[in-house]
Amino acid sequence: MSYYAGIDVGSLTAEAVLIDKDRNIAAYAILPTGNNSQKAGTDAFRTALGQAGLAEADVSRVFSTGYSRARVLQAEDSKTEIACHAKGAFYFFPHVGTIIDIGGQDSKAILVGKEGRVINFAMNDKCAAGTGRFLEVMAGALDVPLDKMDDLALGSKEELTISSTCTVFAESEVVSLISQGKAPADICLAVSRAIARRTAGLVTRVGVADSLVMTGGVAKNRAVVKILSKDVGHLIKVPKEPQIIGALGAALFAREENGR
Amino acid sequence: MTEFKAFSKMKELMTNYYIEAKTTKEKPIAWITSGAPVEFLFAMDIIPIYPENYAAMCAANHQSIELMEAAEAAGFSQDICAYARTDFGAAMTQGGPAGGLPPPHFLLCSTNICKTVIKWYEVLARNYNVPLFIVDTPFLHNGLTKDLIDYTVTQFIALESFLGNFLGRPFDRDRLTKVLSLSREAADYWKKILYLGKTIPSPFNSLDSFIHLGPIVTLRGTRECVDYYKLLYEEVAERAQKKIGSISEERYRVLWDNLPIWFKMRRLERFFEEKKCTLVVTTYANSWGGLSNFQANEMNDPYELFAASYLNVYINWGFENRIKYLSQLIDDFSLTGFIMHSNRSCKPYSVGMYCLQGEVSKLTGKPGVIIEADQNDPRVYSDAQVETRLEAFIESMEPVS
């Protein structure tokens, strides 16, 4: 049987997704990118192959995406993460209109039309405010595991504000809140709110469609999703594993190109 | 870069111009902004020197960073125009290509390109201890009006007296009339060259226009400038007629708004060629062609004609006119989309861009993308971020039918 793969090597994590010829997901892997993006792509690919019990020869075509898309050795071609997230989100949610993807160093809002085709998109400016890296830095400052931040935030009792949109300045705001003895839960909520506020601006710029889907690592933070839903006035759906959507999109493109 | 035989002629022209400026003993030197009425200077045998062009040259030669750092160390904020910082740094350190610019005897600036030039030229006036003449060209919020033209004409008259007094001889109006006609002739050729871009595939791309911009900015009003663009026009017209494109395969045709990114010209050229995308037309290079927009018979007074031309530049227009013009270019040049360079250095060119993008997309049905960059400061540029945005934009365009 022939399989297709998508490898997404981003600034913080690398993902690989394998799909079969009927577009079913056979396996996926998520690994930290580390300091060697080429190796990260290869490792993610091999891990996914191992899980599915497949060999490289079983995969007829590989596409890459993400910031290191041009460096993925196994890939025949590459697509931008904008196209791939649109494609991947469409796979799970065929009625999707607007996609919000917050990855390691980029946040974006994508307006899609039929078949998940990109109509318009808006991305953060040069700065990393409101991205996954922002969240990671704040988790570090708070000494809270990244994946526990939303649990904490959702139990917040006091409303605090982080006003700076700059990651470096926001971190010092967090540090000063800590020194004032504020509860980590409340600070976590303030951090989530800062990200949501910044992202809501992007979403408004491309247009809010009825069906919103959020992808990328930050979508795993339920507090951010909840606040963002409120800010844009629509329920935001999140796929079960939002982090693999880019790689899934790349795999779907690989399969399509093969059919041509 | 598309190869044009005329290119060597341009190099010769520009080299001679710089050599004369650096060695002249008789002719006075005036530093001048890119949108100022240089014709007055040629009418009085004054050599114009353009700090903006020089700054761009520094960036294209990858020398702008150290110069800007020198200016910043002297207290100039990173938030001011990178051209200004590059020039301040070049003057302070005697750095930059060709050993710097010949010092000015006086300065001439016009506010039709931005208001930063006022402060920039005041600094130069202080540093070189020379007089400064400012031609104030008000912003066209609601188009060109008779009042604005009259106001600008009074300043041209004042400029004549300023030059007469400075040189100690009367201003030569007859000569100015001849210079003006040469200037319009050159601008007309330039515009005709740029509009050959309507041909599919485009025989000429915007990166070429940025390279061939030198003479129309610096030497308009001279016979050599007319001759050069006539030569280039004939060459481009021949390519257009033979349907020879500027890149090997043209799938996408786009507009570029705002200044070039001088320090990324080569990389971007390769990038666009690889993506089969031609930058067909720019609001920037078009600005100098626009100087021939008003016909001599429309206005009897050459000064009024001249004032109208210098007021009526894209960057001096209100949003409604910008939207109309951008949409018109997209239609006229059969474009598949447009790129807007949000230029950290050039605020008047970049302000309101998100609104412009939305409106132009709505009117034309074509996608547009905004990239964050700078004309001259590589420190605020990220290859990966810009190229990801451009690639996604190209993926979202419908190719030419």
Side-chain angles (χ1 to χ4, degrees):
Chain A
M1 205 148 81
S2 58
Y3 289 84
Y4 304 92
I7 303 176
D8 177 358
V9 185
S11 60
L12 295 179
T13 55
E15 294 88 12
V17 171
L18 294 170
I19 58 170
D20 65 21
K21 66 174 183 13
D22 299 319
R23 310 191 344 145
N24 301 307
I25 298 176
Y28 66 84
I30 305 171
L31 297 173
T33 301
N35 61 8
N36 185 337
S37 57
Q38 211 156 54
K39 186 173 175 297
T42 302
D43 288 351
F45 184 40
R46 289 196 182 140
T47 308
L49 285 171
Q51 274 178 23
L54 296 170
E56 259 187 63
D58 297 320
V59 179
S60 43
R61 200 179 176 94
V62 182
F63 266 31
S64 62
T65 186
Y67 264 83
S68 296
R69 60 189 175 279
R71 283 176 48 77
V72 175
L73 293 169
Q74 297 81 1
E76 267 182 55
D77 203 350
S78 66
K79 291 270 175 192
T80 62
E81 49 269 41
I82 293 108
C84 289
H85 277 272
K87 193 93 186 161
F90 182 78
Y91 173 91
F92 286 115
F93 304 100
H95 298 295
V96 64
T98 307
I99 297 158
I100 303 159
D101 164 45
I102 311 186
Q105 64 173 359
D106 269 332
S107 48
K108 38 188 135 9
I110 311 163
L111 192 69
V112 295
K114 279 185 199 146
E115 303 290 309
R117 193 183 154 82
V118 177
I119 297 174
N120 190 11
F121 66 95
M123 286 175 88
N124 60 320
D125 51 30
K126 289 179 59 62
C127 120
T131 64
R133 183 69 194 143
F134 180 88
L135 205 57
E136 205 177 73
V137 168
M138 301 313 146
L142 282 161
D143 201 17
V144 166
L146 191 60
D147 55 1
K148 294 282 177 285
M149 280 185 99
D150 57 343
D151 271 346
L152 263 175
L154 294 170
S156 159
K157 303 255 184 311
E158 187 190 355
E159 190 170 321
L160 301 175
T161 310
I162 290 172
S163 50
S164 181
T165 51
C166 161
T167 306
V168 176
F169 291 141
E171 186 185 10
S172 41
E173 277 188 67
V174 166
V175 170
S176 84
L177 289 171
I178 293 170
S179 67
Q180 289 165 32
K182 299 293 182 192
D186 301 329
I187 304 176
C188 279
L189 187 66
V191 166
S192 312
R193 209 179 291 118
I195 294 181
R197 198 174 47 223
R198 184 122 178 139
T199 312
L202 286 181
V203 179
T204 319
R205 216 196 286 154
V206 296
V208 185
D210 282 339
S211 176
L212 273 91
V213 172
M214 186 162 166
T215 62
V218 176
K220 289 180 168 176
N221 185 307
R222 287 168 300 136
V224 172
V225 178
K226 193 177 161 191
I227 301 165
L228 192 53
S229 288
K230 217 168 114 192
D231 284 356
V232 298
H234 281 270
L235 180 75
I236 296 171
K237 297 181 197 121
V238 178
K240 211 171 97 203
E241 183 42 88
Q243 230 170 332
I244 63 162
I245 301 302
L248 171 64
L252 291 166
F253 275 120
R255 178 185 164 277
E256 267 178 26
E257 301 263 319
N258 224 40
R260 266 181 203 172
Chain B
M1 195 171 75
T2 316
E3 261 183 56
F4 290 102
K5 285 191 256 25
F7 182 68
S8 63
K9 183 84 194 146
M10 183 186 71
K11 271 182 99 167
E12 189 189 307
L13 199 62
M14 296 305 286
T15 308
N16 290 344
Y17 153 67
Y18 271 108
I19 290 177
E20 191 192 8
K22 294 276 276 190
T23 55
T24 183
K25 297 274 184 283
E26 307 83 40
K27 291 187 178 179
I29 304 278
W31 284 16
I32 176 173
T33 55
S34 61
V38 65
E39 294 83 352
F40 283 92
L41 303 186
F42 283 125
M44 294 298 274
D45 278 325
I46 300 160
I47 301 182
I49 285 289
Y50 291 79
E52 291 160 66
N53 286 37
Y54 187 68
M57 244 162 79
C58 293
N61 284 323
H62 304 288
Q63 286 177 291
S64 63
I65 294 181
E66 57 191 270
L67 302 176
M68 285 185 288
E69 281 172 352
E72 287 156 17
F76 291 103
S77 160
Q78 254 202 54
D79 289 324
I80 52 176
C81 168
Y83 273 176
R85 277 178 289 141
T86 303
D87 276 314
F88 292 149
M92 282 171 203
T93 61
Q94 301 295 305
L101 293 174
H105 295 99
F106 72 93
L107 307 162
L108 175 61
C109 93
S110 172
T111 56
N112 56 353
I113 54 163
C114 70
K115 310 305 168 202
T116 300
V117 293
I118 300 173
K119 292 294 150 194
W120 176 355
Y121 275 61
E122 281 173 0
V123 170
L124 293 175
R126 255 194 328 266
N127 287 354
Y128 289 97
N129 194 23
V130 291
L132 161 64
F133 192 94
I134 299 173
V135 179
D136 179 36
T137 40
F139 192 79
L140 306 186
H141 291 281
N142 300 306
L144 200 56
T145 63
K146 180 79 171 66
D147 287 351
L148 295 176
I149 292 174
D150 291 347
Y151 172 70
T152 308
V153 169
T154 58
Q155 296 177 73
F156 288 163
I157 307 291
L159 176 59
E160 285 184 350
S161 338
F162 169 85
L163 292 173
N165 289 336
F166 186 82
L167 298 168
R169 54 188 158 94
F171 186 80
D172 191 342
R173 280 201 175 183
D174 292 337
R175 180 85 187 280
L176 179 71
T177 314
K178 291 189 189 100
V179 171
L180 275 178
S181 125
L182 288 170
S183 168
R184 297 174 60 77
E185 204 180 333
D188 208 40
Y189 272 119
W190 179 239
K191 188 174 168 182
K192 274 159 66 182
I193 293 168
L194 298 176
Y195 277 63
L196 283 170
K198 289 184 182 178
T199 321
I200 303 177
S202 173
F204 189 88
N205 67 54
S206 303
L207 299 167
D208 297 322
S209 75
F210 299 151
I211 302 278
H212 289 267
L213 199 61
I216 193 65
V217 177
T218 52
L219 301 174
R220 62 178 184 278
T222 65
R223 166 57 57 196
E224 291 80 3
C225 183
V226 176
D227 292 345
Y228 170 66
Y229 286 111
K230 184 167 182 287
L231 197 70
L232 183 63
Y233 171 72
E234 283 160 4
E235 220 182 320
V236 179
E238 195 189 325
R239 284 180 74 103
Q241 206 213 342
K242 292 182 179 161
K243 303 268 181 198
I244 305 173
S246 75
I247 59 175
S248 50
E249 191 189 341
E250 182 177 282
R251 291 197 71 198
Y252 306 102
R253 295 166 57 84
V254 303
L255 172 144
W256 176 278
D257 187 42
N258 214 312
L259 273 72
I261 303 168
W262 292 112
F263 52 90
K264 283 292 166 189
M265 294 278 282
R266 290 237 170 92
R267 183 172 170 129
L268 287 175
E269 186 180 18
R270 276 198 303 271
F271 174 88
F272 284 114
E273 169 130 38
E274 214 173 89
K275 305 289 173 215
K276 304 180 169 61
C277 178
T278 311
L279 304 184
V280 177
V281 63
T282 72
T283 52
Y284 177 66
N286 276 13
S287 297
W288 286 274
L291 295 176
S292 72
N293 274 356
F294 297 94
Q295 293 308 310
N297 55 15
E298 282 175 51
M299 279 177 228
N300 292 325
D301 183 341
Y303 280 62
E304 288 185 9
L305 183 73
F306 200 26
S309 303
Y310 276 99
L311 281 165
N312 194 45
V313 292
Y314 178 80
I315 194 177
N316 204 41
W317 289 352
F319 285 171
E320 275 180 33
N321 282 328
R322 290 193 198 193
I323 291 165
K324 265 187 228 154
Y325 180 62
L326 288 167
S327 308
Q328 187 76 47
L329 289 176
I330 290 168
D331 288 344
D332 287 353
F333 283 78
S334 321
L335 304 184
T336 54
F338 59 102
I339 299 170
M340 305 187 98
H341 163 201
S342 176
N343 181 355
R344 192 178 153 85
S345 271
C346 197
K347 273 86 177 176
Y349 219 142
S350 309
V351 69
M353 227 173 219
Y354 286 110
C355 158
L356 290 178
Q357 181 204 19
E359 289 302 310
V360 172
S361 268
K362 213 188 295 167
L363 280 170
T364 60
K366 304 293 178 196
V369 69
I370 294 176
I371 53 164
E372 306 247 343
D374 193 278
Q375 66 206 35
N376 242 47
D377 193 342
R379 296 169 302 173
V380 297
Y381 187 86
S382 158
D383 288 318
Q385 285 197 336
V386 169
E387 287 169 16
T388 292
R389 282 154 181 76
L390 289 176
E391 252 188 270
F393 159 68
I394 293 170
E395 283 172 349
S396 73
M397 274 189 291
E398 291 286 347
V400 274
S401 37

